[in-house]
Amino acid sequence: ALTFLLVTLVRFGLLKDAAISDDEHTYAFMGQLFASGRVYVPSLPPELRPFLDNQFIINNGKMYGMYFPGHPVALALGERLHLMAWIPTLSATLTVALAFAVSRRIFGLRTAMLTLPLLLVSPFFLFSSATLLAHSTAAVLLMAFLYCVLRVKERPEALGWWIGAAMALSWATLTRPFSSPIFAAPWLFWLAGDLWRRRSGRAWAGGGLFCLLGAGALALLLLYQYTLSGSPFV
């Protein structure tokens, strides 16, 4: 509750509920596009295009945002509920809850209690969560991935936690495709080593399902890029 309150105070009291960067305008544009069931709209005639030019929006016959689709998908869900501007605030609030749960499973309750005030005195955490930037979406997804990894470690035969970890990491990678895999790499190596030692058939099935879902997310990204640019790698 305090996280929700502080982020809201920053958003309205300091940032005046206004975008502070072109990035936010682009993310909002992409979220509205996705909410309408489209990933691009046709550009206006050439003589009118300069009036809508933006450094982060492609406007070459197709008009679409240049960023990866993970965060706009979250904003699109909010747009359909008329709550787009609240998605980062809600993500930050859930991030704190997940951070507490992760700390408790790794270090115990006393250390987990320290997680809460440390997050709440982080200016970067509060200020980025008061904007439409992608940081809050990536944070909650990576924290969800980490929580699922810890649950997999406890019960590697539980396929649901494998699915949760795969979906959270895939969505996070589609949101911030460089920082997310770097964050996940040591946890994945740790999980792979544990999986190798156990040699459990059901656990191996979970690992295979994790890889399959990750490959599916990559295929979706390549299809998205092909639809926009004509090349899956652009």
Side-chain angles (χ1 to χ4, degrees), residues 83-226:
L83 294 172
M84 179 194 284
W86 292 99
I87 291 298
T89 310
L90 294 171
S91 297
T93 304
L94 186 55
T95 298
V96 170
L98 286 168
F100 174 82
V102 166
S103 297
R104 184 173 60 177
R105 300 195 90 84
I106 297 177
F107 302 111
L109 181 59
R110 293 183 65 185
T111 303
M113 292 297 291
L114 294 175
T115 302
L116 305 178
L118 286 174
L119 278 171
L120 292 179
V121 298
S122 166
F124 181 82
F125 177 73
L126 294 177
F127 273 76
S128 63
S129 300
T131 71
L132 287 180
L133 297 174
H135 301 76
S136 57
T137 297
V140 70
L141 291 170
L142 288 174
M143 199 57 64
F145 159 75
L146 182 50
Y147 181 77
C148 290
V149 165
L150 296 175
R151 298 305 300 265
V152 165
K153 173 73 173 177
E154 296 170 1
R155 294 183 57 206
E157 71 283 353
L159 297 183
W161 292 116
W162 283 103
I163 293 173
M167 293 181 65
L169 181 58
S170 296
W171 195 347
T173 302
L174 292 176
T175 300
R176 294 182 67 84
F178 297 106
S179 53
S180 297
I182 291 172
F183 174 89
W187 298 101
L188 291 177
F189 279 116
W190 177 63
L191 198 58
D194 184 69
L195 191 64
W196 179 258
R197 288 190 298 272
R198 290 178 183 270
R199 298 181 182 275
S200 165
R202 191 168 176 82
W204 278 99
L209 186 59
F210 178 92
C211 295
L212 185 62
L213 290 172
L218 177 60
L220 282 175
L221 175 62
L222 296 178
L223 177 61
Y224 173 77
Q225 295 183 156
Y226 176 79

Side-chain angles (χ1 to χ4, degrees), residues 4 16 19 30 44 49 125 138 187 227:
F4 189 94
K16 306 303 180 184
M30 294 176 70
L44 292 176
R49 289 180 194 174
F125 177 73
W187 298 101
T227 302

